[in-house]
Amino acid sequence: LGDVSDIKPYVDRFVRYAKAHPEKLFLVIPVGCGAAGHEPDEIAPLFIEASDVKNICLPGEFWAALDH
């Protein structure tokens, strides 16, 4: 398992890209969960900035984690 903080720069880069390309739709999978061994509660906070980006669709597991 990698550290969750190692993922943050990649998520930030993705969010910047999505904002720069509003004509595209991005369906996010629960990255880092499952085989990678992290829980949605650990990964979802990395996507908090993505939660208000209209062309990014976060998975239900992330929304549930962010609503806490």
Side-chain angles (χ1 to χ4, degrees), residues 2-3 7 9 12 15 20 25 30 34-35 39-41 45 47 51-54 58-59 61 64-65 67:
D3 188 57
I7 302 168
D12 292 343
V15 172
L25 178 63
E39 296 296 322
D41 288 347
F47 286 87
S51 65
D52 65 349
V53 180
K54 298 207 182 291
L58 297 177
E61 299 96 326
D67 285 341

Side-chain angles (χ1 to χ4, degrees), residues 8 11-28 44-59 63 66:
K8 181 73 170 135
V11 173
D12 292 343
R13 183 176 176 188
F14 160 68
V15 172
R16 283 192 308 273
Y17 182 85
K19 286 180 175 180
H21 297 278
E23 73 284 359
K24 297 181 180 193
L25 178 63
F26 299 90
L27 305 175
V28 177
L46 303 178
F47 286 87
I48 193 78
E49 187 181 338
S51 65
D52 65 349
V53 180
K54 298 207 182 291
N55 61 331
I56 298 177
C57 298
L58 297 177
W63 283 114
L66 292 173

Side-chain angles (χ1 to χ4, degrees), residues 28-39:
V28 177
I29 62 169
V31 63
C33 303
H38 297 290
E39 296 296 322

